[in-house]
């Protein structure tokens, strides 16, 4: 059975090289009994590859079960996987078989295996190495012949380095690594998948077919699809049911795609020293605010010196780095002004009673006392409120445009306006 036959049998749409490579690995490893670790983002179709491996193996007539390890509470995960004896814990009114006992002779698919507790990981390692396990509350060792196919959407190697996943279990599961590409890595397949989903949903809901204009097709290809195939399928279903116009352009399509605009606020950048000096987002925001405050203090000192000494070359020499920095920041804005725009000139005059000042010079401390520094508010709530007010004022109350300017969704903006009493 070649790759195209596998695609037809399991309903896989796409022709990208990465997808074909993943299918080829699954086809080659299926006849063996070795463990497979499928890695890929959420919604990329990892479970489909577990079915391919099972159906093309010698265990295809045996049972197959898919277990979402992240959906089972930590206190009951051992009982679900390995079973328990009557009275082994509160609520265990009778003995129960676990998945490894039920699926004996078949295949078990452990989805989100990275969410397993460390204790359960040790039990799973023993099953993989010897096929032995012990029910919860029992001392009797039991045997099982189960092939394990695991999947995860997290970087397991990083979890190993951080102590959240056993290194021996990682290498035991990762005998054959199989990576399912994300949808943004295969943009040539996006329109094929969309047409397939539209046809399926049009038949299901008895609605006319939908066609995309060229600009809409380009938008589909260029979108990042964080939810991968699952998100694309959801968008296709919404359009098939809700859209009255059966020819969809980019303007209409963007209403079904979440806003991808990014905020310009500081982001958390991990360090290379084991995380000892990593900053939180709050720490970074405070750092930006303190830097702004320092710039304001430097500017106030410069103004005080100019008032006290007048236009003195020594003043400019001492503050040349700061003055050059100000000029570099202002120069691009000056170049963008219209040709007939006249740059305002700042003239520093000597005091009217210059003679008296020369006879009775005022000390620097007196000037600094008059130019008392006003403490700025560093409240994040106040800063956030001010930014929202400025964005709404800039866009004349249009909340959709303001939300795009702020880099948040319109729904989030409505909630923040309500929470901050900005109505």
């Amino acid at each position: 059975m070649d790759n195209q036959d596998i695609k037809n049998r399991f309903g896989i749409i796409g022709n990208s090289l990465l997808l074909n490579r993943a299918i080829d690995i699954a086809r080659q490893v299926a006849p063996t009994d070795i463990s497979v670790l499928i890695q890929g983002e959420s919604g990329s179709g990892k479970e489909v590859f577990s079915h391919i491996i099972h159906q093309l193996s010698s265990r295809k007539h045996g049972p197959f079960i898919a277990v979402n390890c992240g959906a089972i509470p930590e206190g009951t995960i051992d009982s679900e996987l390995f079973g328990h004896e009557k009275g082994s814990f509160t609520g265990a009114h009778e003995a129960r078989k676990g998945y490894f006992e039920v699926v004996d002779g078949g295949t078990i698919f452990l989805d989100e295996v990275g969410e397993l507790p460390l204790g359960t990981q040790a039990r799973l390692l023993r099953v993989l190495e010897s096929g032995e396990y012990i029910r919860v509350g029992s001392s009797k060792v039991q045997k099982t012949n189960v092939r394990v196919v695991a999947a995860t959407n997290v970087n397991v190697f990083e979890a190993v380095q951080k102590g959240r996943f056993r290194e021996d279990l990682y290498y035991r599961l990762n005998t054959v690594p199989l990576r399912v590409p994300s949808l943004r890595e295969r943009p040539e397949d996006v329109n094929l998948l969309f047409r397939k989903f539209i046809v399926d949903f049009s038949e299901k809901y008895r609605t006319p077919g939908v066609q995309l204009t060229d600009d809409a097709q380009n938008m589909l290809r260029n979108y990042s699809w964080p939810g991968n195939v699952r998100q694309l399928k959801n968008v296709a279903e919404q359009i098939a049911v809700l859209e009255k116009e059966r020819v969809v352009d980019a303007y209409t399509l963007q209403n079904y795609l979440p806003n991808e605009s990014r905020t310009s606020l500081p982001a958390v950048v991990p360090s290379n020293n084991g995380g000892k000096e990593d900053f939180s987002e709050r720490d970074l925001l405070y750092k930006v605010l303190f830097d702004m405050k320092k710039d304001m203090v430097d500017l106030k000192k410069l103004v005080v010196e100019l008032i006290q000494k007048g236009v003195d070359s020594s003043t400019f020499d001492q503050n040349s780095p700061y003055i050059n920095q100000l000029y570099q920041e202002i120069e691009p804005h000056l170049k963008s002004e219209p040709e007939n725009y006249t740059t305002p000139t700042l003239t520093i005059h000597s005091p009217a009673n210059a003679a008296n000042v020369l006879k009775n010079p005022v000390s620097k401390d007196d000037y600094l006392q008059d130019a008392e520094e006003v403490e700025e508010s560093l409240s994040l709530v106040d800063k956030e409120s001010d930014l929202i007010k400025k964005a709404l004022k800039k866009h004349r109350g249009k909340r959709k445009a303001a939300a795009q300017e702020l880099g948040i969704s319109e729904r989030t903006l409505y909630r923040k306006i309500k929470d901050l009493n900005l109505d």
Side-chain angles (χ1 to χ4, degrees), residues 182-215:
S182 61
L183 193 55
R184 64 176 168 277
E185 295 177 292
R186 36 188 287 227
E188 63 271 27
D189 296 338
V190 174
N191 287 319
L192 292 174
L193 285 164
F194 183 82
R195 287 201 297 268
K196 173 65 167 59
F197 293 146
I198 281 293
V199 170
D200 292 344
F201 290 125
S202 296
E203 292 179 356
K204 179 179 179 180
Y205 300 116
R206 301 181 183 278
T207 58
V210 174
Q211 293 183 351
L212 295 179
T213 60
D214 292 340
D215 57 348

Side-chain angles (χ1 to χ4, degrees), residues 118-325:
L118 290 174
T120 307
Q121 292 178 27
R123 287 172 172 259
L124 177 59
L125 178 63
R126 184 178 181 185
V127 174
L128 292 172
E129 291 181 339
S130 62
E132 297 178 348
Y133 67 95
I134 301 176
R135 285 185 177 183
V136 177
S138 174
S139 58
K140 180 182 178 182
V141 177
Q142 301 193 50
K143 298 280 290 185
T144 186
N145 179 19
V146 174
R147 181 181 190 175
V148 175
V149 178
T152 179
N153 64 351
V154 299
N155 191 321
V156 184
F157 186 71
E158 290 184 1
V160 170
Q161 294 178 321
K162 295 178 180 179
R164 295 199 298 263
F165 199 85
R166 292 179 62 102
E167 184 175 8
D168 46 6
L169 177 59
Y170 168 68
Y171 289 115
R172 189 65 181 81
L173 284 173
N174 201 34
T175 307
V176 176
L178 191 158
R179 182 178 176 276
V180 181
S182 61
L183 193 55
R184 64 176 168 277
E185 295 177 292
R186 36 188 287 227
E188 63 271 27
D189 296 338
V190 174
N191 287 319
L192 292 174
L193 285 164
F194 183 82
R195 287 201 297 268
K196 173 65 167 59
F197 293 146
I198 281 293
V199 170
D200 292 344
F201 290 125
S202 296
E203 292 179 356
K204 179 179 179 180
Y205 300 116
R206 301 181 183 278
T207 58
V210 174
Q211 293 183 351
L212 295 179
T213 60
D214 292 340
D215 57 348
Q217 293 182 27
N218 291 331
M219 179 175 287
L220 279 184
R221 282 193 297 268
N222 296 326
Y223 187 69
S224 65
W225 299 109
N228 292 289
V229 178
R230 185 184 294 126
Q231 182 186 6
L232 177 62
K233 186 176 182 180
N234 179 271
V235 170
E237 186 171 15
Q238 292 181 53
I239 292 176
V241 174
L242 301 177
E243 196 56 44
K244 296 180 180 179
E245 296 292 334
R246 309 318 288 179
V247 177
V248 177
D249 56 13
Y251 180 78
T252 303
L253 179 62
Q254 69 180 357
N255 296 323
Y256 295 92
L257 301 178
N259 189 0
E260 283 193 301
S261 60
R262 297 290 184 261
T263 178
S264 59
L265 291 176
V268 177
V269 180
S271 62
N272 297 323
N273 56 2
K276 295 181 180 179
E277 296 182 3
D278 289 352
F279 293 101
S280 67
E281 291 185 13
R282 182 183 292 269
D283 294 332
L284 289 171
L285 188 54
Y286 273 127
K287 183 179 183 302
V288 173
L289 293 175
F290 282 127
D291 289 342
M292 292 172 60
K293 180 182 177 182
K294 181 179 179 298
D295 290 341
M296 290 298 298
V297 171
D298 291 339
L299 183 59
K300 289 175 183 177
K301 289 181 179 178
L302 176 59
V303 172
V304 169
E305 290 185 13
L306 290 174
I307 294 173
Q308 180 181 2
K309 299 180 181 179
V311 182
D312 188 353
S313 59
S314 62
T315 303
F316 287 97
D317 292 339
Q318 294 172 1
N319 297 277
S320 58
Y322 185 69
I323 294 174
N324 290 334
Q325 179 185 351

Side-chain angles (χ1 to χ4, degrees), residues 376-402:
E376 298 180 51
S377 172
L378 297 179
S379 170
L380 293 176
V381 175
D382 293 342
K383 295 295 182 183
E384 187 177 42
S385 177
D386 290 342
L387 286 174
I388 292 176
K389 289 178 181 177
K390 291 178 180 178
L392 291 172
K393 183 178 180 181
K394 176 180 178 181
H395 296 282
R396 300 179 181 178
K398 296 180 180 179
R399 297 186 176 183
K400 183 175 182 180

Side-chain angles (χ1 to χ4, degrees), residues 48-68:
V48 175
F49 282 83
S50 69
H51 286 284
I52 293 175
I53 294 172
H54 174 70
Q55 292 297 329
L56 300 183
S57 70
S58 58
R59 300 172 180 266
K60 61 183 178 182
H61 298 297
F64 173 89
I65 189 169
V67 182
N68 189 335

Side-chain angles (χ1 to χ4, degrees), residues 97-124:
K97 293 182 178 180
Y99 296 134
F100 278 95
E101 187 173 354
V102 173
V103 190
D104 189 16
T107 304
I108 184 169
F109 173 55
L110 299 178
D111 196 8
E112 306 302 341
V113 70
E115 303 296 328
L116 285 176
L118 290 174
T120 307
Q121 292 178 27
R123 287 172 172 259
L124 177 59

